[in-house]
Amino acid sequence: SQQGEEDPQALSIQEGENATMNCSYKTSINNLQWYRQNSGRGLVHLILIRSNEREKHSGRLRVTLDTSKKSSSLLITASRAADTASYFCARNKLTFGKGITLSVRP
Amino acid sequence: DVKVTQSSRYLVKRTGEKVFLECVQDMDHENMFWYRQDPGLGLRLIYFSYDVKMKEKGDIPEGYSVSREKKERFSLILESASTNQTSMYLCASSLFGRAFYGGGQPQHFGDGTRLSIL
């Protein structure tokens, strides 16, 4: 199984702070994706990073990948209340983690 | 923008009924997927399809079947609904290729169908 761990399970921060979420996996991957899910909605794709990439940016989002440690991080800078959502990482073969619940307090 | 539309947001059915969940995508994507999402378990893949009339089992196919007669439509069928199939069901699509092997494409999700089996 390519299931790994996402941590923390839940994160509560103040608006304006940075949020860091981690995803680890057990077997080798070709790529890893991060998704966001707002309450009661479907998942929205955020970033895809391939195994030969170490870092990608998209607006306030930064994703890193360390294949030697089998882990990835999603950093949201200058968080906003609208960033409140669940965040999922998905390894290739479409294995999703259980998600990280992020709460951003106004 | 890709739009994935699930026919119902909420559905209530009775034990033993045959239940159909419908999903339509409007961007000519080859791959379509059905997941269920349960608290504490995350998303689990039920079935996916990489072409019309083609399907492959995901991680939890038991109790479910699927149908893909047209490229834009992917149906999930609960042959005889049971209470343990009460869940949120999510449909997704992605552009091309047999995504099960290697992935590497963003998936576009519908807003889900919250199904309750009484």
Side-chain angles (χ1 to χ4, degrees):
Chain A
S1 166
Q2 294 190 24
Q3 284 246 336
E5 297 290 330
E6 289 161 329
D7 76 274
Q9 288 188 322
L11 182 60
S12 181
I13 59 174
Q14 200 73 34
E15 204 166 27
E17 293 180 340
N18 295 342
T20 300
M21 291 167 272
N22 303 297
C23 170
S24 63
Y25 53 91
K26 295 181 178 178
T27 58
S28 62
I29 60 169
N30 295 325
N31 61 81
L32 186 143
Q33 303 182 46
W34 284 91
Y35 289 80
R36 182 188 76 236
Q37 184 180 35
N38 291 95
S39 180
R41 305 298 298 272
L43 279 71
V44 175
H45 180 261
L46 297 176
I47 289 184
L48 182 153
I49 188 165
R50 301 195 186 280
S51 58
N52 61 352
E53 298 174 311
R54 291 296 167 259
E55 190 170 308
K56 284 189 84 168
H57 296 254
S58 176
R60 293 183 297 112
L61 307 181
R62 181 172 76 106
V63 168
T64 60
L65 179 64
D66 187 335
T67 53
S68 66
K69 295 181 178 178
K70 292 187 167 61
S71 69
S72 174
S73 292
L74 170 66
L75 169 67
I76 303 175
T77 59
S79 63
R80 304 168 182 168
D83 295 326
T84 293
S86 293
Y87 291 82
F88 295 84
C89 68
R91 284 73 81 183
N92 53 289
K93 294 185 80 172
L94 310 173
T95 303
F96 282 84
K98 296 179 183 178
I100 298 167
T101 301
L102 173 65
S103 298
V104 181
R105 304 185 301 273
Chain B
D1 267 359
V2 177
K3 190 159 180 65
V4 178
T5 303
Q6 294 184 231
S7 54
S8 305
R9 289 298 305 274
Y10 302 93
L11 204 54
V12 180
K13 296 291 182 181
R14 297 215 172 268
T15 303
E17 280 192 69
K18 191 169 185 175
V19 180
F20 293 85
L21 302 184
E22 306 287 346
C23 176
V24 176
Q25 51 93 4
D26 67 356
M27 282 300 290
D28 205 34
H29 283 180
E30 292 189 2
N31 297 328
M32 296 189 75
F33 311 86
W34 276 107
Y35 295 88
R36 64 177 284 177
Q37 183 176 22
D38 300 288
L41 296 177
L43 272 75
R44 293 179 290 168
L45 181 65
I46 305 172
Y47 267 99
F48 76 99
S49 168
Y50 52 90
D51 201 352
V52 174
K53 296 191 188 297
M54 306 303 289
K55 62 185 179 184
E56 285 198 21
K57 295 179 180 179
D59 299 319
I60 51 164
E62 296 78 19
Y64 302 95
S65 63
V66 290
S67 172
R68 193 161 180 207
E69 297 296 319
K70 293 184 178 182
K71 193 174 186 179
E72 68 270 18
R73 186 179 296 270
F74 193 34
S75 302
L76 179 69
I77 303 156
L78 286 65
E79 298 290 344
S80 178
S82 64
T83 55
N84 63 11
Q85 291 178 310
T86 290
S87 186
M88 169 71 92
Y89 289 88
L90 291 165
C91 175
S93 70
S94 67
L95 185 56
F96 56 77
R98 288 187 68 175
F100 193 72
Y101 301 102
Q105 300 166 45
Q107 288 188 284
H108 301 266
F109 283 80
D111 277 339
T113 295
R114 189 166 292 282
L115 175 64
S116 296
I117 307 296
L118 305 178

